[in-house]
Amino acid sequence: MERPGRMLLLSELRVRNAAYDVSLSRSLLTWKRRTSSPVYHPFRPRFCVPSFPRRRPDPGVGHTVSVSEILSVREEEENSSRRRDDGSWKKIKEREGKDCGPAFTVSYVERSQHHRWRCAEVTFACPEEALCQHWVSSIGEQLAAIASRPKRLLVYINPYSGKRQGKRIYERKVAPLFAQAGVSTHVIVTERANYARDHLKTGAELQKFDGVVCVGGDGMFSEIIHGLIWKTQLDGGVDPNCPEEALIPCTLRIGIIPAGSTDCICFATVGTNDPVTSALHIIVGDSQPMDVCSVHHNNAFLQYSVSLLGYGFYGDVLTDSEKKRWMGPARYDLSGVKMFLTHHYYEGTVSYLPAKGIMGTPRDATRCRSGCVVCQHNRQLLPEKAEMYEVDEASGSESDSEWRTLRGKFLAINAASMSCACPRSPKGLSPAAHLADGTTDLILVRKCSRFDFLRHLLRHTSKDDQFDLAFVEVHRVRRFRFTPRHCQSDSDLDLRENGKHQIFSQICRDHPACGCAPAYSSWNCDGEILNHTAIDVRVHCQFIQLFARGIEEPKVFEELPNPCAI
């Protein structure tokens, strides 16, 4: 068996009339300008469809591209420059007459600022047709051997997400890239809410596809994971309504083309909400595991969560913003200001199962990045810890040493399974939260003044430790439960939620002028309102796989003047 770094091809080819030594191994494509070249024109990569502004790279002697990040290779037609018979093309023909022979073009990933990827091209001119075909076939064979690359995708487009640009974004920016890379797609434009979820549960023939892609916002992504997870559990004979059941992880990868209002998932897994970047991650076949939280009330399944569970402030903001959907994304700002001024607090009991013996804490400086060692380390500890927790819960003792219980008045109770960073909150609710370590960060904001609560909110956008406040505490947990104070039993809560509650409390809620604060808030589960307040949340480690790589360290593509230079 050949070594991965063994040279497969080495030839002298030309790039824009300059001679280059071009080599291909199993892992790298490299071209280096020959110093003896009689004519030298600075190498300028041509951008493929969709086009982007050209930027002139720094002069360098060589370039290298990972084979895994080559998108496609094609042989150029010798008379391609004669397709348009106008003066401009004739001038180009005269100026670059030496490059009209056999040639092939390689499309590859080029890193830009702010974690963005772009599609760049380089064309190599060959001295003879046989050599050109040999290069094309060799690179094509290397690409075909990458098993992680998807060949056929099921695509759902939400035409109403964000600014209603989902269909346009896909057709203009994403579909040409998929076609160029040879990825076939079956596209479905959703007609109503939960259309994709219901289709995945019943009508989708998932065995025909290598992945599912959603074009939309975080709500569309939530639909996809609910349909996939539910389908996987039913096919495996698992009851999703049992909170103690060991669920079956989903093997089909999920891709996200951002077209929503916040695109929190893309910011946490890619680092940007750029549709082209997400499409390129899908094409190269990246894979990023993610934790999923299951939310139950008694023995009934409510919803899955991958980013934020928020009670109190964030639950109130979502509830109020739903009444203002006609305003578009601006409704969140208005509702946020309104709920901040209202300043409601809620009493209840929080019980949680701390994640002991793991690497990392919610207040350390470690961030979840591509190839995160914290996620890998904690995943190895999970089976042993899970068995211990199951034994503890079987005893039925809430006072067991593994569980912790807190009671009080809370302005907000948040569970962040990722940083939840977005343009509105660059650091996120929990900057050190990890995508795939089997935990969630439970953030408790106790009753405080409006000024102190504002300090806490402002720290989401600053460099300060947002948990370094007397009224804020954070715990890294594997499971937690919440029960509001006025809920004497689960049946009482059900009656309240069905509208059959005490008449005086109803009068206070219907007529808030009396000054009484509401007894209950709502849970914001990834942008959806839950129907119950008393919940049981369990984290399932690395439960789904995304077409993503995680956020790459800035030095990979920002510190180098030319990230492809060697």
Side-chain angles (χ1 to χ4, degrees):
M1 180 179 296
E2 293 181 315
R3 295 174 297 177
R6 183 174 177 179
M7 194 73 66
L8 300 178
L9 275 176
L10 177 62
S11 303
E12 179 184 337
L13 308 178
R14 305 189 72 81
V15 178
R16 289 184 175 271
N17 289 334
Y20 278 75
D21 287 325
V22 186
S23 63
L24 174 69
S25 70
R26 295 193 181 277
S27 58
L28 296 174
L29 171 66
T30 303
W31 58 100
K32 183 177 181 180
R33 185 172 61 87
R34 297 176 64 92
T35 57
S36 58
S37 176
V39 180
Y40 170 63
H41 300 285
F43 173 74
R44 299 174 182 176
R46 299 175 182 175
F47 292 97
C48 64
V49 178
S51 61
F52 303 96
R54 295 176 181 267
R55 67 182 177 90
R56 186 173 182 177
D58 295 336
V61 296
H63 304 264
T64 183
V65 174
S66 173
V67 171
S68 63
E69 294 182 1
I70 294 177
L71 306 179
S72 64
V73 58
R74 67 178 184 273
E75 186 175 359
E76 296 290 345
E77 299 180 9
E78 293 189 23
N79 60 348
S80 60
S81 60
R82 296 193 181 97
R83 293 176 183 175
R84 291 178 55 190
D85 191 18
D86 56 22
S88 61
W89 278 96
K90 291 179 180 178
K91 292 180 181 179
I92 294 176
K93 175 70 176 178
E94 293 173 358
R95 185 169 62 251
E96 299 183 359
K98 294 183 179 180
D99 286 343
C100 62
F104 65 94
T105 298
V106 176
S107 302
Y108 60 94
V109 169
E110 183 180 62
R111 286 165 174 78
S112 183
Q113 294 182 347
H114 308 299
H115 306 284
R116 295 191 175 208
W117 283 12
R118 289 292 177 257
C119 177
E121 287 186 347
V122 56
T123 299
F124 299 99
C126 303
E128 55 186 19
E129 182 69 22
L131 180 61
C132 180
Q133 294 178 353
H134 186 37
W135 269 96
V136 172
S137 62
S138 297
I139 296 177
E141 290 173 1
Q142 296 303 307
L143 299 182
I146 304 176
S148 61
R149 291 201 172 193
K151 302 296 188 297
R152 182 169 173 78
L153 297 172
L154 176 60
V155 180
Y156 292 96
I157 301 177
N158 183 355
Y160 303 106
S161 291
K163 298 180 180 179
R164 300 174 180 262
Q165 297 293 313
K167 189 175 181 181
R168 178 177 177 273
I169 288 174
Y170 178 79
E171 291 176 349
R172 294 194 177 188
K173 296 185 176 182
V174 179
L177 291 174
F178 284 168
Q180 177 184 340
V183 179
S184 61
T185 58
H186 177 64
V187 180
I188 298 176
V189 180
T190 60
E191 302 172 357
R192 54 175 172 81
N194 294 320
Y195 182 93
R197 182 198 66 184
D198 297 339
H199 184 263
L200 285 169
K201 285 183 177 180
T202 57
E205 299 179 3
L206 300 180
Q207 66 277 5
K208 296 182 178 180
F209 302 99
D210 302 315
V212 179
V213 176
C214 62
V215 184
D218 294 336
M220 187 63 175
F221 175 72
S222 180
E223 283 192 40
I224 298 297
I225 66 169
H226 278 80
L228 279 180
I229 294 176
W230 192 270
K231 175 72 171 176
T232 303
Q233 308 318 307
L234 292 183
D235 291 346
V238 176
D239 181 13
N241 287 313
C242 179
E244 309 299 333
E245 193 80 37
L247 302 183
I248 302 175
C250 297
T251 57
L252 204 62
R253 282 175 292 175
I254 305 172
I256 313 172
I257 303 298
S261 301
T262 57
D263 302 312
C264 175
I265 309 299
C266 282
F267 270 97
T269 57
V270 178
T272 180
N273 64 340
D274 175 53
V276 173
T277 301
S278 295
L280 294 178
H281 277 280
I282 294 172
I283 292 173
V284 301
D286 283 337
S287 183
Q288 169 64 51
M290 279 186 62
D291 297 337
V292 174
C293 293
S294 60
V295 185
H296 289 80
H297 171 73
N298 291 343
N299 288 321
F301 166 77
L302 297 182
Q303 200 161 329
Y304 293 110
S305 170
V306 296
S307 58
L308 172 67
L309 273 166
Y311 184 82
F313 178 75
Y314 289 102
D316 293 345
V317 169
L318 178 63
T319 302
D320 186 75
S321 67
E322 286 298 301
K323 305 172 186 177
K324 305 177 177 65
R325 295 191 67 88
W326 56 272
M327 295 180 61
R331 67 186 186 271
Y332 297 113
D333 296 328
L334 179 61
S335 296
V337 173
K338 178 181 176 181
M339 290 302 105
F340 171 77
L341 296 175
T342 303
H343 201 62
H344 284 155
Y345 64 87
Y346 305 92
E347 295 187 62
T349 301
V350 178
S351 301
Y352 63 91
L353 195 59
K356 293 186 176 181
I358 63 171
M359 179 187 295
T361 68
R363 297 182 62 179
D364 60 26
T366 304
R367 301 292 181 263
C368 190
R369 294 294 183 259
S370 180
C372 179
V373 295
V374 173
C375 293
Q376 297 175 6
H377 178 269
N378 293 348
R379 177 65 181 89
Q380 297 174 357
L381 299 178
L382 185 64
E384 177 183 353
K385 292 291 182 182
E387 294 176 2
M388 180 181 65
Y389 292 152
E390 289 176 1
V391 173
D392 292 339
E393 294 190 39
S395 65
S397 174
E398 289 294 333
S399 61
D400 190 275
S401 60
E402 292 296 333
W403 283 83
R404 302 288 185 269
T405 300
L406 297 172
R407 297 177 179 86
K409 301 175 181 179
F410 303 97
L411 285 170
I413 300 174
N414 302 319
S417 298
M418 59 177 62
S419 66
C420 298
C422 65
R424 300 170 184 269
S425 178
K427 291 183 60 178
L429 296 182
S430 184
H434 289 267
L435 293 171
D437 66 341
T439 69
T440 186
D441 288 351
L442 182 62
I443 307 168
L444 307 176
V445 184
R446 295 184 181 270
K447 180 184 176 183
C448 62
S449 66
R450 286 186 178 86
F451 176 74
D452 283 339
F453 189 54
L454 179 61
R455 290 170 56 203
H456 169 66
L457 294 178
L458 291 178
R459 289 196 176 190
H460 294 158
T461 61
S462 69
K463 297 181 180 180
D464 296 330
D465 180 2
Q466 59 199 58
F467 305 128
D468 188 22
L469 297 169
F471 55 90
V472 178
E473 55 183 293
V474 59
H475 308 276
R476 186 152 287 179
V477 305
R478 295 197 187 277
R479 188 169 184 174
F480 75 92
R481 296 166 180 152
F482 173 76
T483 306
R485 178 184 177 224
H486 297 285
C487 176
Q488 302 299 325
S489 66
D490 290 331
S491 59
D492 291 342
L493 185 60
D494 292 337
L495 290 176
R496 179 195 70 78
E497 289 161 345
N498 291 328
K500 302 176 181 178
H501 36 66
Q502 296 180 359
I503 186 171
F504 292 106
S505 61
Q506 177 65 60
I507 292 175
C508 288
R509 277 189 291 274
D510 289 345
H511 302 278
C514 67
C516 297
Y520 307 99
S521 178
S522 301
W523 280 99
N524 178 343
C525 181
D526 292 359
E528 299 291 334
I529 300 175
L530 296 185
N531 295 324
H532 297 273
T533 306
I535 61 173
D536 182 0
V537 181
R538 179 182 176 186
V539 184
H540 303 271
C541 185
Q542 301 189 8
F543 197 63
I544 59 176
Q545 299 282 334
L546 265 63
F547 284 110
R549 184 174 298 186
I551 301 176
E552 293 180 308
E553 290 291 348
K555 64 181 180 180
V556 174
F557 54 89
E558 290 180 356
E559 293 180 0
L560 293 176
N562 182 359
C564 293
I566 56 173

